[in-house]
Amino acid sequence: MFFYFILIFTVFFDQLTKWMILDDMPLPIEVTSFFNIVLAMNKGVSFSMFASNHPHAPMILTAIGIIITLFIAFWFLKEKESVVKLALSLILGGAIGNIIDRIRFGAVVDFLDFHAFGYHWPAFNIADMMICFGVIIILTEAIFSKEKEE
């Protein structure tokens, strides 16, 4: 039950923050010298790769996202290892949050904007962070479980 709570909380928190950004917040907001809150509608995938103005691009990316999410959901349901199940709940929550955006807006709402020393990281959101945390957990678990076996 805990893992379902994490999944639902991730979707809720992601959508809540995006709602706050879209709800007439005066943007951009300079939080620090290296961090701003902005509004960026990402029509592509991670870091705006494969962004396209083709009329069917949002539908195609949404369909691909749903298919990948279904595979991860199946893995989540079958997984017995708690650490991996936690990671998958974060990944699923993030994926569902971004799919909701694609269905509603045809793009993903990104708003966290980091920059320093002339470098600018592409804007991202809470869902993206949770997906990254989940992947890092799975990779770490895979590395350390392999070391335990040897």
Side-chain angles (χ1 to χ4, degrees):
M1 202 40 107
F2 171 74
F3 302 112
Y4 292 98
F5 172 78
I6 296 295
L7 192 159
I8 291 167
F9 179 78
T10 299
V11 174
F12 173 79
F13 187 59
D14 173 65
Q15 290 297 299
L16 174 66
T17 55
K18 291 171 180 175
W19 171 78
M20 291 168 59
I21 295 301
L22 293 170
D23 190 42
D24 295 327
M25 185 179 282
L27 297 172
I29 299 170
E30 185 176 335
V31 179
T32 68
S33 62
F34 60 88
F35 172 59
N36 300 322
I37 297 176
V38 299
L39 174 59
M41 300 301 286
N42 180 357
K43 291 184 178 186
V45 294
S46 300
F47 314 119
S48 296
M49 291 186 300
F50 309 118
S52 170
N53 288 326
H54 189 279
H56 298 301
M59 184 176 60
I60 292 166
L61 290 176
T62 302
I64 291 168
I66 290 170
I67 290 167
I68 293 169
T69 301
L70 289 173
F71 279 110
I72 295 169
F74 181 75
W75 180 10
F76 173 79
L77 293 172
K78 298 294 181 190
E79 183 60 48
K80 301 293 184 222
E81 181 69 37
S82 293
V83 173
V84 176
K85 196 140 180 131
L86 170 64
L88 292 172
S89 64
L90 293 170
I91 293 169
L92 275 174
I96 291 168
N98 283 341
I99 288 170
I100 290 169
D101 288 5
R102 287 194 186 283
I103 291 169
R104 288 182 67 203
F105 309 116
V108 174
V109 178
D110 288 332
F111 58 91
L112 302 170
D113 179 43
F114 286 89
H115 52 91
F117 309 110
Y119 295 100
H120 202 126
W121 191 257
F124 59 96
N125 59 44
I126 302 298
D128 299 336
M129 286 181 5
M130 296 301 111
I131 291 167
C132 288
F133 290 155
V135 169
I136 289 167
I137 292 168
I138 288 173
L139 291 174
T140 303
E141 174 65 17
I143 291 167
F144 287 113
S145 68
K146 189 167 248 182
E147 285 179 3
K148 289 178 193 174
E149 291 174 6
E150 293 176 356

